[in-house]
């Protein structure tokens, strides 16, 4: 059994503990629309509604053939907004936090969420990501755009000003399997900090017959001392006569030193006979 321990600094999210699996970066909050605008108003600002918000240590972004976790300098505030009326450029938004003003981050390939590549803010809305200091006073936190503003609920403000917890993350699974057994991977995440927080992970694989491909995106919220076990059904290394007959999984978490690798090989005939 292969086991590698990694530490991840994770941010704080909105909703309660216990969520895990392939989910999106945001938790649900009560929608707060901007002042309504008549469709006949020439030059009037659009109606913007913030539907989701979460504080995270990173976001999952797609590459050419894989996904990775982009770490925040401190913490990300990830918002999801919808726009009705004339389109609004993401550059029109700004966020006030701890006495400073921040612009949305730009990601060349967008975000990887819900199994979709390249999610970006469009005229109809989408994700807005702000890279903020790890802690700070959130009493003045406001999202602003021409013609409106949004104030995060108290739960979000509390998480923005709280220190980031640490997470202990391990990747486990069988080192050898027999045909036609399908390997099962286990990602174990434990909140070792003093506050509730959210982890963000990306899993890729190579083989068989695959040079590199995303296997899954995972995030969840845990209370201090709480543990989640995420199971992922892996791929069998037995595919025709493909060489090498092995599958390798790569776990990505915020910060490079949090990565883990697990390789699964087939049981050869000699080993199978001895067993």
């Amino acid at each position: 059994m292969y086991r590698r321990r990694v530490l991840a600094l994770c941010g704080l999210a909105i909703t309660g503990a216990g969520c895990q699996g392939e989910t999106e970066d945001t938790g649900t909050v009560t929608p707060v629309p901007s002042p309504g605008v008549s469709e006949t108003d020439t030059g009037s600002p659009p109606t913007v509604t913030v539907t989701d918000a979460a504080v995270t240590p990173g976001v999952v972004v797609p590459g050419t053939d894989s996904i990775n976790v982009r770490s925040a300098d401190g913490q990300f505030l990830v918002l999801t907004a919808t726009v009705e009326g004339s389109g609004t450029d993401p550059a029109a938004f700004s966020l006030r936090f701890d006495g400073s003003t921040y612009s949305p981050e730009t990601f060349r390939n967008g975000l990887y969420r819900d199994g979709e590549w390249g999610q970006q803010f469009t005229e109809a809305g989408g994700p807005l990501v702000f890279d903020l200091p790890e802690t700070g006073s959130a009493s003045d936190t406001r999202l602003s755009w021409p013609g409106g503003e949004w104030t995060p609920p108290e739960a979000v403000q509390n998480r923005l000003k709280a220190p980031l917890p640490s997470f202990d993350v391990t990747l486990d699974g069988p080192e050898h399997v027999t045909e036609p057994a399908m390997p099962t991977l286990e990602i174990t995440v434990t909140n070792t900090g003093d506050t509730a927080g959210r982890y963000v992970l990306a899993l890729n694989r190579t083989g068989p017959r695959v040079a590199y491909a995303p296997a899954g995106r995972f995030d969840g919220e845990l209370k201090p001392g709480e543990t989640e076990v995420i199971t992922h059904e892996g791929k069998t290394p037995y595919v025709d006569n493909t060489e090498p007959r092995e599958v390798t999984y790569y776990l990505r978490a915020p910060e490079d030193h949090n990565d883990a690798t697990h390789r699964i090989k087939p049981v050869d005939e000699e080993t199978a006979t001895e067993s």
Side-chain angles (χ1 to χ4, degrees), residues 90-116:
F93 292 88
S94 63
L95 186 82
R96 184 77 173 173
F97 174 69
D98 196 25
S100 299
T101 301
Y102 299 86
S103 298
E105 295 293 304
T106 58
F107 303 95
R108 186 180 66 177
N109 296 325
L111 301 183
Y112 183 88
R113 301 198 299 181
D114 303 323
E116 296 182 8

Side-chain angles (χ1 to χ4, degrees), residues 12-224:
L12 299 175
I14 292 178
T15 57
C19 297
Q20 63 88 19
E22 295 188 62
T23 60
E24 61 182 52
D25 279 326
T26 58
T28 300
V29 297
T30 301
V32 180
S34 64
V37 179
S38 172
E39 295 182 358
T40 59
D41 289 343
T42 303
S44 296
T47 298
V48 178
T49 303
V50 177
T51 57
D52 300 285
V55 181
T56 73
V59 293
V60 178
V61 295
T64 302
D65 55 4
S66 62
I67 55 177
N68 205 347
V69 177
R70 178 75 61 84
S71 300
D73 292 334
Q75 58 184 340
F76 280 134
L77 175 60
V78 183
L79 306 176
T80 300
T82 60
V83 179
E84 296 181 5
S86 301
T88 298
D89 189 277
F93 292 88
S94 63
L95 186 82
R96 184 77 173 173
F97 174 69
D98 196 25
S100 299
T101 301
Y102 299 86
S103 298
E105 295 293 304
T106 58
F107 303 95
R108 186 180 66 177
N109 296 325
L111 301 183
Y112 183 88
R113 301 198 299 181
D114 303 323
E116 296 182 8
W117 292 68
Q119 289 194 10
Q120 304 207 43
F121 193 91
T122 67
E123 290 187 354
L128 293 168
V129 182
F130 296 91
D131 195 345
L132 306 176
E134 184 173 339
T135 60
S137 173
S139 60
D140 65 344
T141 304
R142 300 287 188 278
L143 175 70
S144 301
W145 62 92
E149 69 173 26
W150 172 80
T151 301
E154 185 177 358
V156 180
Q157 296 182 37
N158 290 338
R159 284 157 174 76
L160 285 171
K161 66 183 181 182
L164 297 171
S166 59
F167 277 68
D168 182 59
V169 184
T170 61
L171 173 64
D172 297 310
E175 294 182 351
H176 296 86
V177 294
T178 57
E179 191 175 17
M182 302 293 288
T184 298
L185 296 174
E186 287 189 350
I187 302 172
T188 304
V189 188
T190 301
N191 184 342
T192 58
D194 298 324
T195 57
R198 176 182 290 267
Y199 60 84
V200 179
L201 305 170
L203 187 66
N204 296 286
R205 73 174 174 91
T206 60
R209 291 184 174 177
V210 172
Y212 221 94
R217 172 195 176 284
F218 310 95
D219 75 336
E221 303 158 15
L222 297 175
K223 296 178 181 179

